[in-house]
Amino acid sequence: MGRLIRRLRNTLRARVIAMPIKRALLVYTIQAVLLALVLSLLAIGLFSSLQSDIYTNVYIRFEPDGALHTDGLSIYEHFTPDDQWWWSFYSYCLLISPVICSLLALSWGGRKFYKRKLKLPLEILIDSTQRIAHNDLDFKVCYPISDEMGALCSAFESMRVALEENNRQMWRMNEERKRLNAAFAHDLRTPITVLKGYLEFLTAYVPGERVDQKKLTDTLSTLSQQVGRIEGYVEAMSTVQKLEDISLVPKNVRANELFGHLAEEASLLCGRAHKAIRLTLDKSPLLLPLDSALITRVMENLMSNALRYAQTTVFFEAAADRSGITLTLSDDGRGFSPEELKKAADPFFKDAEASSEHFGLGLNICKVLCEKHNGTLILSNRPQGGARITARFGKLEFAPAA
């Protein structure tokens, strides 16, 4: 019997804990009211009984033969001072006992409500707030009850995830900026060294007219080329820095219509480069919020890269789903080397075949733009040979109206 009662009590407790806060508060309030009623009745019965004892003791003391008075109130004339004091005290307790019992019952109900419904989630949220204040985001806000506090903890977890992702993006941006600055400084060393060498040559030989006109002209031409090269690096660096300031402009776009425009432009670029193109386009009419201008820019950069290495053919694939679109450009060239698979999307990375006019920023720009569009850029090789680049663009959120 005791085990059955405990099981029933635990079941009822679990159900109350799983209730929404409003309903649980109502349940505990009803319990507190019932408890207050029971305690009040017990207190009233107790103090009434004590008053009755005083009355009985006085009656027995002055009416030992048990004779009844015709006027029941006349017995109060025989109260001693102690009897009067205790009678007044019990009367006072009789009046205030319901109030005291109600306060005790409400206090008990409030304590139970706080302990069962608020204590744990508040402790979780306070601990999470302190950890976030100390820049510790490596944890998870987990509260197993699906009530209002559970929804609050879930919202707090969403905020923590967003903060963690923002921190991760900031860290990636800082690391990317460090690599960009290091690569920029490294690539500037060569033209600066050349400039210093030729300036030393001119300083040493021009004053004494120990250099002929042709040599002087060739040297000045080389200096001009190196200055142009530095200007190109500076412009490229400025382009990369400006990518972070690009504002996306989402518009509802039909996937099949966007793919048609991209395929038309890709075919035109391949025709100018005298390369064949094979198209595999998704016919889905999905309506997605995308920045078509940014996507076109990425496609143009990827197509330029594919045309640079393709022998005869470029392969263009486009697919869409409810979360975004995917563009895949492949070629039948030599493909990526193991090192290029790791570093080709890094800023200022150039392979051995790249010309001096090529700064190695095309794939890096595509990577940055894809990430700004909630996507990714993946480098791989075709099983049949040749490079493959997959650009993923996630759907965007419209800015709320002002």
Side-chain angles (χ1 to χ4, degrees):
M1 186 65 180
R3 183 179 299 175
L4 179 61
I5 293 176
R6 284 195 300 272
R7 184 179 300 174
L8 179 61
R9 183 178 61 187
N10 292 335
T11 301
L12 292 175
R13 181 184 300 171
R15 288 188 177 181
V16 172
I17 291 175
M19 285 181 182
I21 288 180
K22 291 181 179 179
R23 189 180 302 174
L25 180 59
L26 178 61
V27 170
Y28 283 112
T29 302
I30 292 174
Q31 290 181 357
V33 170
L34 293 176
L35 179 61
L37 180 61
V38 172
L39 292 176
S40 298
L41 291 175
L42 291 175
I44 291 172
L46 173 64
F47 293 120
S48 297
S49 176
L50 293 173
Q51 282 186 326
S52 178
D53 289 343
I54 295 174
Y55 187 91
T56 302
N57 290 335
V58 173
Y59 184 83
I60 292 174
R61 185 166 57 231
F62 289 96
E63 297 291 338
D65 57 353
L68 296 176
H69 287 271
T70 57
D71 185 2
L73 295 176
S74 61
I75 195 172
Y76 293 102
E77 299 174 359
H78 304 291
F79 274 15
T80 65
D82 286 343
D83 292 333
Q84 294 175 0
W85 187 90
W86 283 109
W87 184 275
S88 300
F89 174 73
Y90 292 145
S91 299
Y92 179 75
C93 291
L94 194 62
L95 290 174
I96 67 171
S97 59
V99 177
I100 295 176
C101 292
S102 297
L103 292 176
L104 290 175
L106 289 174
S107 175
W108 172 86
R111 182 174 176 273
K112 287 292 184 182
F113 175 76
Y114 172 78
K115 182 178 179 181
R116 300 278 170 79
K117 298 296 295 181
L118 300 179
K119 182 179 180 181
L120 179 59
L122 287 178
E123 288 177 350
I124 292 174
L125 292 175
I126 291 173
D127 178 68
S128 301
T129 302
Q130 292 175 348
R131 297 182 69 171
I132 291 176
H134 290 86
N135 294 322
D136 178 14
L137 298 173
D138 189 18
F139 67 98
K140 186 175 182 180
V141 182
C142 183
Y143 181 64
I145 308 301
S146 299
D147 58 2
E148 292 85 347
M149 297 304 294
L152 179 59
C153 290
S154 178
F156 205 88
E157 169 65 11
S158 299
M159 182 190 71
R160 183 201 65 81
V161 171
L163 286 174
E164 185 178 26
E165 181 60 27
N166 287 339
N167 283 1
R168 189 178 293 112
Q169 289 182 1
M170 289 295 296
W171 181 83
R172 285 200 299 261
M173 288 172 56
N174 289 335
E175 291 298 312
E176 192 74 19
R177 195 176 298 276
K178 289 178 182 178
R179 289 196 296 267
L180 182 65
N181 291 336
F184 185 63
H186 177 270
D187 283 0
L188 276 180
R189 288 195 187 102
T190 300
I192 289 176
T193 301
V194 173
L195 285 175
K196 289 174 64 178
Y198 278 108
L199 287 174
E200 291 173 355
F201 169 79
L202 293 176
T203 302
Y205 290 95
V206 168
E209 297 184 355
R210 289 182 293 170
V211 59
D212 57 28
Q213 190 67 29
K214 184 178 182 305
K215 179 64 176 178
L216 180 61
T217 302
D218 292 342
T219 301
L220 293 176
S221 176
T222 303
L223 289 175
S224 178
Q225 292 175 3
Q226 296 302 321
V227 170
R229 187 178 177 184
I230 292 176
E231 289 178 343
Y233 273 117
V234 172
E235 181 64 28
M237 187 70 175
S238 176
T239 300
V240 174
Q241 297 287 355
K242 291 176 181 178
L243 291 178
E244 301 297 336
D245 300 327
I246 291 179
S247 298
L248 301 182
V249 184
K251 294 182 180 179
N252 284 323
V253 180
R254 295 284 179 188
N256 53 354
E257 295 179 0
L258 175 62
F259 294 160
H261 295 316
L262 294 177
E264 182 178 353
E265 185 168 345
S267 299
L268 179 62
L269 293 173
C270 288
R272 290 179 177 177
H274 305 290
K275 302 288 176 66
I277 185 171
R278 293 186 182 180
L279 302 173
T280 305
L281 306 179
D282 191 343
K283 302 298 183 181
S284 171
L286 272 175
L287 191 65
L288 297 170
L290 304 169
D291 188 330
S292 55
L294 181 144
I295 294 172
T296 301
R297 180 177 178 181
V298 173
M299 188 279 296
E300 291 172 347
N301 280 334
L302 295 181
M303 180 59 69
S304 174
N305 189 81
L307 290 174
R308 186 181 303 118
Y309 296 98
Q311 294 182 358
T312 60
T313 308
V314 173
F315 304 88
F316 181 85
E317 303 174 32
D321 55 41
R322 294 189 179 278
S323 61
I325 67 170
T326 302
L327 303 181
T328 303
L329 281 91
S330 310
D331 60 66
D332 58 353
R334 62 174 179 80
F336 290 113
S337 67
E339 181 186 11
E340 290 169 344
L341 286 174
K342 296 179 181 179
K343 300 181 179 180
D346 291 346
F348 296 109
F349 177 83
K350 294 187 291 186
D351 57 28
E353 301 178 11
S355 63
S356 59
E357 290 80 13
H358 179 66
F359 296 112
L361 284 175
L363 292 182
N364 180 257
I365 290 174
C366 293
K367 176 185 175 183
V368 173
L369 294 180
C370 286
E371 290 175 350
K372 288 186 72 69
H373 208 294
N374 300 328
T376 56
L377 187 74
I378 301 175
L379 309 182
S380 60
N381 286 318
R382 297 174 64 234
Q384 306 88 338
R388 172 187 290 156
I389 303 178
T390 302
R392 174 70 182 174
F393 303 91
K395 66 180 183 180
L396 302 173
E397 298 292 337
F398 288 102

